[in-house]
Amino acid sequence: MTFKPARLLIALLAVAAVPAFAQNVAVVNGKAIPSSRVDAVVKQVVAQGQQPDSPQLRELIKKDLIGREVMMQEAEKQGYGKNAAVKEQLENARQQIITNALVMDYVKKNPVSDADVKAEYDKAVAAASAEKEYHVRHILLATEAEANDVIAKLKGGAKFEDLAKQSKDTGSAANGGDLDWATPSSFPPVFSQAFVNLQKGGVTEKPVQTPNGWHVIKVDDIRAVKLPPLEEVKGQVQEGLMQKKVQAYQEELVKKAKVQ
């Protein structure tokens, strides 16, 4: 049996049409939704660990894309694409997407080395060795007179933890005024300056005033600042160094630009 020319042409057209149709997951009012869009969303969902790739996931994504396309077409039909505010948002989104692509490519071509991470970590360790952490307690009172009364009782032998029960700081009062371990920079300067020169077990001689009231402060203990092992913070250090690189790259481009 031989094909007539007309039948042969129809058969060839049908075969040629199959791959083109397979490239789309749907056609909405004549607008095609390419399968590559589904693939991209699936890749993102899987990478985030939300769900594994599956026919059910792909069907959900397909329905979502169809719903979006229908809404998009209706929005365009009603003229929202010509709205000035919408155009401005689109331009902002366009800039963000394009600059993100630039940054991702820059990061790929200029990676942070393990040696850079180790050097940055060692620098932080050296800086931390000069810092101290303090285990501090405090009693917050409404007036200076009340605070002086507490200091007098402490000098008379009263226990700090017992007197802390009257503290206005209800969050720490039940725990004997305990504020846990912290560096001086974690507190307001007027507060930290009052205890950094105290020895272990020392109590402020005078009440310390802050916007919250009058404080009596005790230093339970002092130790050198401890940093977690490099293995635990490697990712954070690496990210911080990369941010610095990208910032420097941006500043370099700004210097070269003609800005009026």
Side-chain angles (χ1 to χ4, degrees):
M1 177 178 173
T2 59
F3 277 106
K4 292 182 180 181
R7 289 182 178 177
L8 179 59
L9 178 60
I10 293 172
L12 289 173
L13 288 173
V15 172
V18 171
F21 179 80
Q23 292 176 359
N24 300 322
V25 292
V27 178
V28 182
N29 296 326
K31 179 70 177 295
I33 299 178
S35 58
S36 59
R37 288 184 63 187
V38 174
D39 293 337
V41 178
V42 168
K43 184 178 179 180
Q44 183 178 8
V45 171
V46 172
Q48 293 174 349
Q50 298 178 15
Q51 291 186 48
D53 189 354
S54 68
Q56 292 81 6
L57 174 62
R58 288 179 173 272
E59 185 62 26
L60 286 173
I61 293 172
K62 173 184 172 181
K63 289 181 178 179
D64 181 62
L65 291 176
I66 290 172
R68 292 187 190 185
E69 182 58 38
V70 170
M71 294 291 286
M72 179 64 179
Q73 291 182 18
E74 182 61 25
E76 290 284 6
K77 182 180 177 181
Q78 295 189 29
Y80 287 99
K82 299 177 181 179
N83 182 281
V86 172
K87 284 184 176 181
E88 184 177 352
Q89 292 178 52
L90 285 171
E91 178 57 25
N92 290 337
R94 175 180 173 276
Q95 287 186 7
Q96 188 67 51
I97 292 169
I98 293 175
T99 54
N100 281 349
L102 171 67
V103 170
M104 289 177 66
D105 188 56
Y106 176 82
V107 168
K108 184 177 180 181
K109 293 177 180 177
N110 300 273
V112 174
S113 68
D114 288 344
D116 292 335
V117 172
K118 179 68 165 55
E120 185 71 8
Y121 178 79
D122 289 344
K123 189 192 301 182
V125 170
S129 64
E131 290 190 64
K132 294 180 180 179
E133 285 183 315
Y134 295 77
H135 190 177
V136 178
R137 296 178 185 272
H138 84 136
I139 303 172
L140 178 61
L141 300 135
T143 67
E144 184 178 13
E146 289 177 323
N148 279 321
D149 182 56
V150 166
I151 292 173
K153 289 179 179 178
L154 289 171
K155 290 181 177 180
K159 290 186 178 180
F160 195 96
E161 291 80 353
D162 293 337
L163 295 179
K165 293 177 182 178
Q166 62 182 294
S167 176
K168 287 177 59 183
D169 179 7
T170 55
S172 65
N175 297 320
D178 193 355
L179 296 177
D180 209 347
W181 287 98
T183 58
S185 60
S186 302
F187 301 98
V190 66
F191 189 95
S192 60
Q193 288 168 8
F195 70 72
V196 290
N197 294 320
L198 293 176
Q199 299 297 317
K200 178 179 177 180
V203 178
T204 49
E205 289 287 333
K206 296 180 180 180
V208 180
Q209 186 179 21
T210 70
N212 296 320
W214 295 84
H215 305 259
V216 178
I217 308 169
K218 178 186 178 184
V219 173
D220 269 4
D221 205 351
I222 306 171
R223 69 185 183 189
V225 172
K226 294 182 180 180
L227 293 181
L230 175 58
E231 293 72 23
E232 291 184 15
V233 295
K234 182 177 180 180
Q236 298 174 31
V237 176
Q238 194 172 35
E239 183 179 350
L241 287 173
M242 183 50 67
Q243 288 177 353
K244 289 181 181 179
K245 272 196 171 188
V246 172
Q247 181 65 33
Y249 176 52
Q250 183 187 50
E251 291 173 356
E252 181 184 346
L253 292 176
V254 170
K255 289 180 180 178
K256 294 179 180 178
K258 184 177 180 180
V259 181
Q260 298 177 329

